[in-house]
Amino acid sequence: MAKSAKNSFPQKVVSVQMLKGGVAKTTSVLNIGLGAAREGARVLFVDMDQQANLTFALGVGIDEAEEKSVWLDIVEKKAKIEDCVLHLTDKIDLIPSNLNNSVLDRVLLNSNRNWAQSVKGPLSQIQKNYDLILIDTAPALSATNTAVTVASDLVILPVNPDRFSYMGLEKHIEELREIKKDFDLNLTEKILFTKFDGREKVSHELLQKCMDTFEDLLMKSYIRTSTEVKNTIGTGKTIYHTKSNAREDYELVTREVLEIL
């Protein structure tokens, strides 16, 4: 990972992945990215999920999103990556998504090109412009997510206090290790425990199970449950306008991602 020429942030590509939905994946991408921009980092959000929840959360409307070029257009050479970038603020850019990305997997697998480089290759053309590139992914094990993994320096795996979520975590880590082996990758994977509720026994039990099984992979901070996370979506405000537990927790996680001591 190279150092940014303008500040001390290490330039990196971070993807947030989990084959099970409902684990605060998009929420984590959004709040880590917004937090990084508050710290002064130049941030590019990349929405690779055809549901486009990250795109909408960043204020792009449904009609507007449908008119924009997405990653499918880059793969099919209908658009250059520079043409897909939306400038949201002086610190934040976005490559949006829409339903067109729903066929991206099929297009990649039917391609004669090296589809595993279909994310890393285009990103390398613009990576110098950013301190942090954050990729949101669909909840699946797929060719698209494999290509995202190949492009990543760090993969964050959110898991919440749910036994099915934990089972998904085990399966996803197993898959990541196979991808790392197959493509000779030197990426780091980290587990982010989300939706922790100190009043619930299952939260303590599954957090302890993660600590016992994946101690070296756990991020230093975890995300406590907070109604403010849902309440700010679609309002034009963020958790950084609140004084919630989630704000404090995502600030710590963001600083860990940016390697701020």
Side-chain angles (χ1 to χ4, degrees), residues 35-90:
R38 286 168 57 86
E39 294 284 355
R42 301 163 301 172
V43 178
L44 172 66
F45 289 104
V46 181
D47 194 347
M48 299 292 282
D49 187 348
Q50 65 267 20
Q51 296 183 64
N53 290 328
L54 177 63
T55 298
F56 302 147
L58 286 165
V60 179
I62 295 177
D63 292 339
E64 183 182 2
E66 288 303 313
E67 297 174 356
K68 300 299 182 183
S69 296
V70 296
W71 209 271
L72 176 70
D73 299 301
I74 297 172
V75 170
E76 293 186 326
K77 297 189 180 301
K78 294 179 180 178
K80 295 180 179 179
I81 188 169
E82 296 90 342
D83 301 328
C84 298
V85 175
L86 300 180
H87 302 289
L88 303 183
T89 73
D90 63 334

Side-chain angles (χ1 to χ4, degrees), residues 30-31 34-35 38 57 89 92 226 228-229 231-248 250-251:
L30 177 68
N31 291 321
L34 295 177
R38 286 168 57 86
T89 73
I92 299 173
S226 171
E228 295 295 340
V229 172
N231 292 343
T232 55
I233 297 295
T235 65
K237 296 183 178 181
T238 73
I239 60 165
Y240 297 104
H241 292 93
T242 75
K243 295 182 179 180
S244 64
N245 290 337
R247 171 184 174 153
E248 296 175 5
Y250 275 115
E251 283 178 338

Side-chain angles (χ1 to χ4, degrees), residues 12 67 71 77 141 195 222:
K12 63 174 72 173
E67 297 174 356
W71 209 271
K77 297 189 180 301
L141 298 175
K195 300 183 181 181
Y222 56 84

